[in-house]
Amino acid sequence: MTNGSHRKVVTVLFCDVVGSTTIGESVDPEALQGLLASYFERMKAIVDSHGGTVEKFIGDAVMAVFGVPVVHEDDALRACRAAVEMRDALPELGVEGRIGVNTGEVLAGTEERLATGDAVNVAARLEQAAEPGEVLIGAETFGLAESAVEVGEERLLELKGKSEPASARSLLAVREAVERSHASGFVGRDRELEQLVDAWDRALAGSRCELVTVVGDPGVGKSRLVAEALEKIDARLVRGRCLSYGEGITYWPVIEVVKQLHAEPDDEHAAIAIRSLLGETETLAGTDEIAWAFRKLLEAQAPLVVCFDDIQWGEETFLELIETTALLSTGAPLLLVCMARPELLDRRPGWPAVLRLEPLPEDEAGVLVGDCVPDEIREQIVRASGGNPLFLTEMAALSNTDGGEVEVPATLRALLAARLDRLDEPERRILERGAVEGELFHRGTVQALAPEETEVTPRLAALVRRDLVRPDRPQLPHEDAYRFRHLLIRDTAYDALPKATRADLHRRFAGWLEQHGKELVELDEILGYHLERAARYLAELGRHEPGLAEAALEHLATAGRRARSRGDRRAAASLLERACALTDDPDVHLSVDLARCLDDPRAGLSCLDEAAGRAEAAGDGAGAALATALAAAARTFLDEISIEEAERVALAALSLLEANDDHLGLAEVWTSLARGAYNGSCSFAKMEHASEQAIRQFTLAGREPTNMWTLAAGLIWGPRPVTEALERFDALVAGADNPLAALDRALLLAMNDRIEEARILARGAEGRMIEVGDVYAHTVIGDIEQLAGNYETAAERFGRYLDTAIERGVTGSIASYASLCGRVLCALGRFDEAETLAKQGREHGAEDDLGSQMLWRQVAARVHAHRGDHSVAERLAREAVEISQRTDSPFFQAEAFSDLAEVLEAAGRREEALAAWHDALGRYERKGIAPLVRRVRERLATLQPA
């Protein structure tokens, strides 16, 4: 069993005598001493009988702890049983008392006390709040023992030292715990089910006794499997269960079976032995005689199925009785079905006829959880549970269907804690050191964190035999690796460690990994996590170590920036948020990195505003200018300031940053100019130039360039011909393993009439982006399919991106993609839908956003032309052409002329339409957009006489 200091969930009981002062006034001191001695002796005996430990006597009060030195899965129920027995014993002693019972996490095993923590204080307060003769139990105790206790109404108590009212209930009685429900579906287990049924068939065919023992971890489905098998067996059934504690329980399950049979053996000597077992005669039968008599009784009642549960708790005499019954019974069809946890095989390695029940495989585990929770939550539950059916169903029942963390019921935590508490100290220590590394850990980790341990490999082999861990593929060279059988075991082992110990182990592991894990791709993420854990635990204990926090911050920030550069914005945001949280004064550049990665534009803006305020307060003018410039660019996307104003602020920041040689700040501001001012004004040559400046400054800062989208947009939509743009893009972005870059290249390929090549590249990039929650691929694939003339797919893709923009409140994207989607719908003849989208684009488009102002007019013009309102249609189409001339984009200009041509054709003005088509063709040719050049030439061929 384990020793030393651990965090444990225990149940604390306080019992105090009421009115002891009054008793002292009326009773002789010697008599009082005898009374109290009897009281203390009786209370201690009751606590001991239920597996608790009396920590101390405080005046007239008794403090007992259930779960120290060893945790049991039913400690809360044991404490409740003890409390009721103590309450009922007090009147016999001639005193009145009150009792409080509470469950919670404590630090156990210290030299000073058995248990230290708030759970102890609350138990004492509950005792003080109880009425004479009353037992008050706390909410956590009730939650763990609910199925086996009768209680009064909930009371909310104002307890001394507690800021919030505490929930308590009066404990009225304790009954037997109800059997576990079998309401959930039965999945898999076909082979095991067949083995049980076959055993019964053999018993019938041979008129003999068959023994099958189903062995498996708690919750793995032993009782459910047996219940399903018994449904298929047409036979009388009797049951017995071994108890986990108590006095005189050797034959408890045998007596249960005898009472259910309501019969005696035909042999008089056997009948006398059975009566002796039941306490109905003063004759005492020996163990061999009882086993023989029990066997004769079963044979007389055959055909019969006898089911014994939890035999791992059975006394040796009882286990021998089962074995001899199976071996020596003859001439009668009997089936002995036993259920046991793996501890049985630790005691009896040679136990016969074992059917080992393993956890469910992942596919069957997912079926058992069902569709009651979202897919993401189902995956979390399956992974955490390790295929244990009880864990699966309990976690699914408590999980929040809206997402978030999977909740682990307190009953499951207690069950797992009890299992680990039965380990020997060296094995427990090995398990805990592995838990510090994570669900998967390496032998070298354990040895480094437990240098005093000389038998690491044998200890790990023992843990494998106990089915707590299993060998796995290592992530480090020259190492053996192990994985926890399921994540809940890892969490239980880890949670038992004191926070100070966790901090020390995390720090030591980071030091070891820095030397042995240099080949790991995600080394910074891992080192950052472990140093972060160490820093946080020490901070919670009031031991702040700035150097430790700073080291964690640096690793997390490096990992976050790397994730950002590869386009994984979700991972980058998480890492950078954690880095920022490690300091009260995040660096401006760290805040900028974080703001760039946040999906919520307003959250990003708030981050930048806070960074600007901190920098200004610290006298960092350049830092304040950087954050302010980026915040201004963000405000243009939310339509809060003009593009011209954002450009003015950014250009002013450049001079300050240049004076400070802040290459990283310069890179960010040039990027913001490209993304904001030049994108909004459709100045794509300037956008290309700003992007190249950003790349140059990122390189000077020693950082990977981020957000190559701005360079690609300048090349794609700007005046540079497609063939030249593609060469330029490849020269600047050569070798970039970035799905964003792949998408942008795919669009240039499509413009160059390499449609299939573009589709393959775009779909591969989309798969990578979906993994990180980025939906940008919809826009590019929509553009590619529009170039290919596949308008249905283009409309669907633009619509999906529009939905995301609406969800996130990005007004600039809503304006652009509502109109883009509407324009494609016009090509499909779906003008009513297009009209709605044009209105949406107009509503959200900023006045100085040339692209959105042009697009909604193009769509509205097509809708009016379709309805015969030709004058309005022409006015809107010509306004769009005029706006397009203020851009430097041949593509945008050509698109506007194309829509003007459609409007003029609808009005029957053929010559003017031809002129507009020729204007569009010239611009498509200048840009070199081959699919559209071909399409316009085909259109002209239908309009011009042969």
Side-chain angles (χ1 to χ4, degrees):
M1 302 300 174
T2 59
N3 301 306
S5 175
H6 281 90
R7 298 176 76 95
K8 291 186 174 186
V9 174
V10 303
T11 301
V12 182
L13 181 153
F14 271 87
C15 175
D16 196 9
V17 173
V18 177
S20 59
T21 303
T22 304
I23 296 173
E25 292 177 349
S26 59
V27 177
D28 184 85
E30 291 186 28
L32 177 61
Q33 182 184 29
L35 174 64
L36 292 178
S38 298
Y39 157 70
F40 288 135
E41 183 180 352
R42 183 68 180 278
M43 296 302 104
K44 184 178 186 305
I46 293 172
V47 170
D48 290 346
S49 71
H50 290 278
T53 302
V54 173
E55 172 160 318
K56 57 184 175 181
F57 301 117
I58 311 166
D60 304 327
V62 177
M63 174 187 168
V65 183
F66 292 78
V68 176
V70 178
V71 170
H72 305 94
E73 64 197 72
D74 57 348
D75 278 322
L77 182 55
R78 291 178 183 224
C80 288
R81 286 189 176 124
V84 169
E85 193 173 335
M86 293 164 80
R87 178 195 65 191
D88 294 345
L90 289 172
E92 300 172 17
L93 296 169
V95 296
E96 275 192 314
R98 55 193 178 200
I99 300 172
V101 182
N102 186 57
T103 302
E105 189 177 50
V106 300
L107 184 65
T110 62
E111 292 183 5
E112 297 81 11
R113 301 185 62 180
L114 282 177
T116 304
D118 189 55
V120 179
N121 300 329
V122 173
R125 298 286 182 261
L126 289 175
E127 176 265 305
Q128 293 163 8
E131 297 294 329
E134 183 181 35
V135 178
L136 276 183
I137 64 173
E140 292 79 6
T141 305
F142 176 67
L144 287 163
E146 184 175 2
S147 64
V149 295
E150 295 177 16
V151 296
E153 293 294 321
E154 181 183 22
R155 299 194 335 233
L156 295 178
L157 304 177
E158 300 287 344
L159 301 183
K160 183 179 178 181
K162 304 297 291 183
S163 58
E164 298 292 333
S167 170
R169 289 173 170 83
S170 180
L171 177 61
L172 305 178
V174 179
R175 57 179 180 270
E176 288 299 315
V178 298
E179 291 287 332
R180 191 170 291 155
S181 170
H182 292 159
S184 60
F186 184 69
V187 176
R189 311 297 198 199
D190 293 338
R191 182 181 60 82
E192 294 88 348
L193 195 62
E194 185 178 348
Q195 285 181 261
L196 284 171
V197 175
D198 285 349
W200 174 244
D201 291 341
R202 289 195 302 272
L204 284 176
S207 290
R208 65 188 187 191
C209 181
E210 288 283 334
L211 168 64
V212 181
T213 303
V214 182
V215 175
D217 293 336
V220 80
K222 301 185 293 294
S223 60
R224 182 61 187 274
L225 171 68
V226 170
E228 292 292 326
L230 294 177
E231 285 288 323
K232 300 178 179 295
I233 293 174
D234 183 18
R236 185 183 180 189
L237 170 68
V238 286
R239 295 176 177 274
R241 177 186 292 273
C242 295
L243 301 181
S244 61
Y245 72 97
E247 296 179 0
I249 59 172
T250 298
Y251 288 112
W252 180 274
V254 176
I255 293 170
E256 284 188 297
V257 167
V258 170
K259 288 181 176 179
Q260 291 169 50
L261 290 174
H262 300 294
E264 290 184 349
D266 295 334
D267 186 289
E268 181 58 28
H269 292 292
I272 292 172
I274 292 296
R275 292 186 207 121
S276 170
L277 178 68
L278 296 175
E280 295 175 356
T281 176
E282 294 182 0
T283 303
L284 295 178
T287 56
D288 288 345
E289 194 174 8
I290 289 174
W292 167 74
F294 182 66
R295 187 167 67 250
K296 291 300 178 184
L297 175 61
L298 297 185
E299 290 169 355
Q301 299 297 311
L304 184 67
V305 177
V306 182
C307 183
F308 289 120
D309 200 359
D310 284 328
I311 70 168
Q312 76 278 352
W313 287 326
E315 300 287 345
E316 287 299 317
T317 300
F318 169 71
L319 296 179
E320 289 169 4
L321 178 147
I322 292 177
E323 284 191 291
T324 57
T325 300
L327 286 170
L328 302 178
S329 289
T330 58
L334 295 171
L335 174 61
L336 299 182
V337 179
C338 300
M339 289 171 275
R341 297 180 183 181
E343 297 93 280
L344 172 70
L345 302 183
D346 292 339
R347 290 172 55 190
R348 293 288 196 95
W351 186 260
V354 170
L355 192 166
R356 190 67 185 251
L357 197 60
E358 298 293 337
L360 294 172
E362 284 191 6
D363 55 342
E364 293 180 354
V367 171
L368 185 59
V369 175
D371 298 326
C372 60
V373 295
D375 291 344
E376 183 179 353
I377 298 297
R378 184 188 307 109
E379 290 172 8
Q380 289 182 43
I381 291 172
V382 169
R383 175 172 170 267
S385 69
N388 184 296
L390 173 64
F391 296 178
L392 287 163
T393 54
E394 291 290 309
M395 286 191 287
L398 282 185
S399 291
N400 180 356
T401 57
D402 295 329
E405 292 296 316
V406 174
E407 185 176 351
V408 181
T411 50
L412 300 190
R413 292 186 184 277
L415 189 153
L416 289 167
R419 184 178 178 190
L420 298 192
D421 241 26
R422 288 192 289 270
L423 294 174
D424 292 336
E425 176 62 24
E427 291 176 4
R428 176 70 175 263
R429 186 165 54 249
I430 295 295
L431 200 69
E432 289 168 346
R433 270 51 182 173
V436 170
E437 181 175 356
E439 186 179 1
L440 183 139
F441 63 94
H442 297 84
R443 183 199 175 283
T445 300
V446 175
Q447 187 67 76
L449 299 182
E452 72 286 353
E453 180 57 62
T454 59
E455 298 183 354
V456 170
T457 300
R459 305 290 187 204
L460 287 166
L463 293 171
V464 171
R465 284 195 300 273
R466 293 179 183 275
D467 212 20
L468 293 169
V469 301
R470 63 174 184 267
D472 208 308
R473 179 177 299 174
Q475 294 178 342
L476 300 175
H478 316 301
E479 280 287 349
D480 292 330
Y482 299 85
R483 184 178 295 277
F484 281 89
R485 195 66 182 80
H486 52 75
L487 190 58
L488 299 182
I489 294 176
R490 181 265 166 190
D491 291 347
T492 303
Y494 180 81
D495 290 345
L497 290 167
K499 290 183 178 179
T501 304
R502 293 182 210 169
D504 177 61
L505 293 173
H506 278 296
R507 190 200 320 243
R508 287 165 54 195
F509 172 72
W512 179 86
L513 186 66
E514 201 159 14
Q515 296 299 315
H516 295 80
K518 294 178 180 179
E519 297 179 7
L520 290 174
V521 175
E522 296 180 329
L523 182 60
D524 281 305
E525 286 91 327
I526 300 170
L527 291 176
Y529 167 79
H530 288 281
L531 293 173
E532 175 193 25
R533 291 291 90 204
R536 290 201 170 281
Y537 286 132
L538 290 177
E540 289 172 14
L541 297 172
R543 294 160 51 187
H544 296 273
E545 291 196 22
L548 186 61
E550 182 65 27
L553 185 154
E554 288 300 322
H555 284 294
L556 291 174
T558 300
R561 288 162 180 153
R562 188 185 301 117
R564 180 188 170 196
S565 69
R566 68 173 181 259
D568 190 348
R569 294 175 66 229
R570 180 186 295 174
S574 174
L575 290 161
L576 293 167
E577 280 182 321
R578 287 163 52 198
C580 286
L582 285 165
T583 175
D584 295 330
D585 186 22
D587 176 74
V588 170
H589 291 107
L590 183 61
S591 297
V592 165
D593 284 321
L594 173 58
R596 291 290 206 202
C597 297
L598 295 174
D599 280 339
D600 183 347
R602 295 201 175 277
L605 180 58
S606 175
C607 182
L608 291 169
D609 284 340
E610 290 172 8
R614 287 194 305 270
E616 190 170 350
D620 179 8
L626 167 61
T628 301
L630 300 183
R635 285 187 165 85
T636 64
F637 286 94
L638 296 171
D639 199 20
E640 293 181 0
I641 65 171
S642 68
I643 289 171
E644 289 79 6
E645 174 64 14
E647 183 179 11
R648 183 191 66 76
V649 174
L651 292 174
L654 286 176
S655 59
L656 281 171
L657 295 166
E658 285 170 356
N660 274 30
D661 285 332
D662 186 347
H663 298 296
L664 195 54
L666 287 166
E668 292 290 0
V669 173
W670 278 117
T671 300
S672 76
L673 278 166
R675 291 178 74 242
Y678 301 149
N679 181 45
S681 63
C682 298
S683 302
F684 293 107
K686 287 184 177 180
M687 192 177 187
E688 181 185 339
H689 170 72
S691 300
E692 290 181 358
Q693 289 299 314
I695 292 171
R696 175 173 168 272
Q697 295 296 337
F698 273 125
T699 303
L700 288 172
R703 290 268 291 271
E704 286 288 325
T706 60
N707 205 346
M708 301 301 291
W709 167 81
T710 56
L711 172 64
L715 291 169
I716 291 167
W717 310 118
R720 197 185 291 270
V722 167
T723 302
E724 185 182 330
L726 186 55
E727 292 175 356
R728 183 75 176 148
F729 183 82
D730 286 345
L732 289 170
V733 193
D737 182 23
N738 188 316
L740 287 168
L743 285 168
D744 294 328
R745 188 173 194 277
L747 184 49
L748 283 167
L749 289 173
M751 287 180 159
N752 204 27
D753 213 18
R754 295 154 68 179
I755 297 292
E756 285 309 312
E757 190 178 347
R759 282 172 170 159
I760 293 169
L761 185 60
R763 286 168 187 163
E766 180 185 25
R768 292 174 61 189
M769 296 191 74
I770 286 173
E771 291 177 2
V772 298
D774 198 318
V775 295
Y776 175 67
H778 292 314
T779 70
V780 177
I781 293 175
D783 285 325
I784 292 171
E785 295 303 325
Q786 185 176 203
L787 287 168
N790 188 359
Y791 298 120
E792 288 284 359
T793 301
E796 188 265 338
R797 290 293 189 150
F798 289 148
R800 286 166 69 178
Y801 186 78
L802 174 61
D803 290 342
T804 302
I806 293 170
E807 180 184 332
R808 295 175 179 173
V810 186
T811 55
S813 295
I814 296 171
S816 297
Y817 284 92
S819 298
L820 277 170
C821 189
R823 189 168 184 273
V824 178
L825 291 176
C826 287
L828 292 168
R830 293 157 61 179
F831 291 100
D832 289 344
E833 296 169 69
E835 180 181 30
T836 300
L837 290 168
K839 290 177 180 177
Q840 194 173 15
R842 179 177 186 177
E843 176 186 347
H844 288 87
E847 287 298 323
D848 54 357
D849 183 348
L850 299 185
S852 64
Q853 290 298 328
M854 180 179 61
L855 277 168
W856 77 256
R857 285 176 167 84
Q858 290 173 243
V859 180
R862 295 280 298 274
V863 172
H864 281 288
H866 170 72
R867 293 176 178 167
D869 193 353
H870 299 301
S871 61
V872 174
E874 183 180 356
R875 175 178 60 79
L876 289 169
R878 292 194 182 279
E879 286 177 4
V881 168
E882 187 277 325
I883 293 170
S884 76
Q885 301 307 301
R886 287 186 256 157
T887 78
D888 65 356
S889 172
F891 174 81
F892 286 2
Q893 294 167 8
E895 296 283 272
F897 274 115
S898 295
D899 287 329
L900 174 60
E902 295 279 5
V903 167
L904 293 171
E905 271 193 58
R909 293 156 64 180
R910 179 175 167 279
E911 293 303 321
E912 292 175 84
L914 280 171
W917 279 122
H918 278 293
D919 284 332
L921 178 61
R923 286 161 175 80
Y924 284 138
E925 288 177 332
R926 189 194 317 159
K927 182 66 180 174
I929 307 175
L932 298 182
V933 168
R934 183 169 57 251
R935 198 172 302 159
V936 173
R937 285 176 177 168
E938 291 170 355
R939 188 66 173 267
L940 284 168
T942 65
L943 291 174
Q944 294 174 320

